Amino acid sequence: MIRLIVTDVDDTLVPESSMDLNPEYFEVIRKLQEKGVMFVAASGRQKTSIKKVFAPIRDEIAYLADNGTDICTKDFSQTMKFADGDYPKLAKELESLSDRGFTYMPSKPDWNYIDEKEQEFYELTLSYGCQIKTVPDLKVLDGITKVSLYHPDGIPKDLENRLKAEWSDHMDVCIAGRVYLDFTGKNCNKGRALSILQEHYGITYDETAAFGNADNDIFLLERAKYSYAVGNASENLKRAASETIGRMDEDAVLAKLKEILAELES
C-alpha cells in the first residue's frame, strides 16, 4: 500500500518556471490524502514558489524545497546547510565564470540572493514566484543551503564534468533542468530529505511512490519502490526509474495518481 507520494515540479508537473498546474491535481491529491497518503512536492524551487503552484492546498501538503535542503511539513521541519567554509570557496570560483555569461544564485530557506548587477537574471527568477534579495557581494553570505549556477544557453557538459570532479568530494553537484547546475552540502539532496521524512513518519521504501524528470531527481527515485520518470525526462533519470510514463505536457503524473487512487479505493 502506498502511504507517501513525492513529485518534482518543473517539467514533471508544469513547464519550467510556470505556476499553471492543472487544477484537477488538487482534487486528486485531496482524495489521496483522505486515503491516508502523504503528498510531498520536491523541487529545486524555493518553498514560497512551490506553495504558489499548489495554492489551493498549500497548507495541506509537505515540501522538500531547494533540492531537499528545506524540509517542511505541518509538524516537522529541518534545514541542511553547506559545511563551514565550503560556500565561500565555491562562490569565489563561480564568480570567476561571470565573464563567460554565467551567474549564480545562493539560497536559504525562503530567500534567494542575486547580485545586484544581474538585472536580467533577477527578472527571470521573479517568474518562479520566489522571494529575492539583491546584494552587492554574494561571497559574504552565510547559512547557505543551495547554490544554482545558471547560463541561459544551458550548462556545457565539459564545465559540468569539471565542477563535479572538483567539488563532489565536498558537495552534491547535479544538473537541475537544462539551464542550472545545483550545489548542496554533501549528501544533502532530495533523496536524503525523503529518507528523513520516511523515518520521521514511519513510512517505508515499499510504501513510497516518486516522480521526476531530471538528474537531481535520481536520489529521490532511489528511495521509492514505485519510481516514475516522465517521458520528457533525462536518460539518466529514466534508467533510475522503475517505469517511464507519459510526458509532462500530457499530465502523465496526474493519470498515474488517478491509477493509484483507484487501486486504493478498490
Side-chain angles (χ1 to χ4, degrees):
M1 177 179 174
I2 292 174
R3 295 177 56 205
L4 187 154
I5 295 173
V6 57
T7 181
D8 175 56
V9 178
D10 288 285
D11 288 331
T12 299
L13 303 182
V14 297
E16 179 78 31
S17 81
S18 171
M19 302 290 174
D20 190 19
L21 183 63
N22 183 338
E24 194 173 357
Y25 272 101
F26 307 134
E27 176 186 355
V28 173
I29 290 169
R30 283 190 171 120
K31 289 181 177 179
L32 286 164
Q33 289 174 321
E34 289 171 2
K35 294 295 180 181
V37 178
M38 183 178 188
F39 186 86
V40 185
S43 177
R45 293 191 191 207
Q46 180 190 91
K47 182 171 57 198
T48 300
S49 172
I50 310 172
K51 286 185 173 183
K52 291 177 181 178
V53 175
F54 290 92
I57 57 172
R58 59 182 294 168
D59 297 324
E60 303 169 36
I61 66 173
Y63 301 90
L64 306 180
D66 283 326
N67 264 357
T69 60
D70 180 14
I71 305 168
C72 182
T73 76
K74 291 179 181 179
D75 58 8
F76 176 77
S77 65
Q78 184 169 325
T79 300
M80 296 185 281
K81 302 176 183 179
F82 282 102
D84 290 345
D86 280 352
Y87 168 71
K89 296 175 185 176
L90 175 65
K92 183 177 181 180
E93 174 159 3
L94 297 186
E95 199 157 289
S96 73
L97 300 172
S98 61
D99 60 350
R100 295 171 52 188
F102 291 89
T103 188
Y104 69 101
M105 179 177 66
S107 301
K108 299 180 186 181
D110 300 321
W111 288 103
N112 292 339
Y113 296 86
I114 293 176
D115 189 300
E116 60 188 17
K117 299 185 293 296
E118 296 287 351
Q119 184 63 32
E120 185 176 340
F121 186 47
Y122 173 79
E123 292 172 0
L124 169 68
T125 309
L126 285 177
S127 70
Y128 287 86
C130 298
Q131 294 188 132
I132 307 167
K133 291 182 180 179
T134 57
V135 296
D137 188 356
L138 296 174
K139 299 188 298 300
V140 301
L141 297 171
D142 58 12
I144 296 301
T145 58
K146 186 193 77 166
V147 175
S148 295
L149 178 67
Y150 166 80
H151 194 283
D153 297 327
I155 306 298
K157 193 66 179 178
D158 61 339
L159 179 62
E160 175 193 348
N161 290 339
R162 178 172 72 79
L163 291 173
K164 283 182 175 180
E166 183 175 352
W167 292 100
S168 288
D169 287 345
H170 302 277
M171 305 176 184
D172 283 358
V173 185
C174 197
I175 287 290
R178 188 181 63 85
V179 294
Y180 296 99
L181 183 67
D182 280 0
F183 301 78
T184 56
K186 190 65 179 175
N187 297 320
C188 298
N189 53 59
K190 293 182 183 181
R192 182 179 174 198
L194 175 57
S195 70
I196 290 170
L197 278 191
Q198 288 169 321
E199 181 177 358
H200 182 78
Y201 290 103
I203 296 172
T204 68
Y205 165 90
D206 291 335
E207 296 170 321
T208 304
F211 299 85
N213 82 293
D215 287 8
N216 65 333
D217 297 319
I218 291 174
F219 292 120
L220 190 71
L221 268 60
E222 289 176 343
R223 295 293 308 171
K225 178 179 180 180
Y226 307 98
S227 56
Y228 304 101
V230 290
N232 50 285
S234 71
E235 291 305 313
N236 288 336
L237 196 281
K238 288 178 180 178
R239 285 191 289 270
S242 59
E243 182 180 339
T244 298
I245 58 177
R247 296 176 56 83
M248 173 274 296
D249 53 15
E250 299 168 341
D251 279 333
V253 175
L254 179 60
K256 181 59 70 171
L257 294 181
K258 289 179 178 179
E259 288 181 22
I260 295 170
L261 178 61
E263 292 175 4
L264 292 173
E265 293 177 333
S266 62

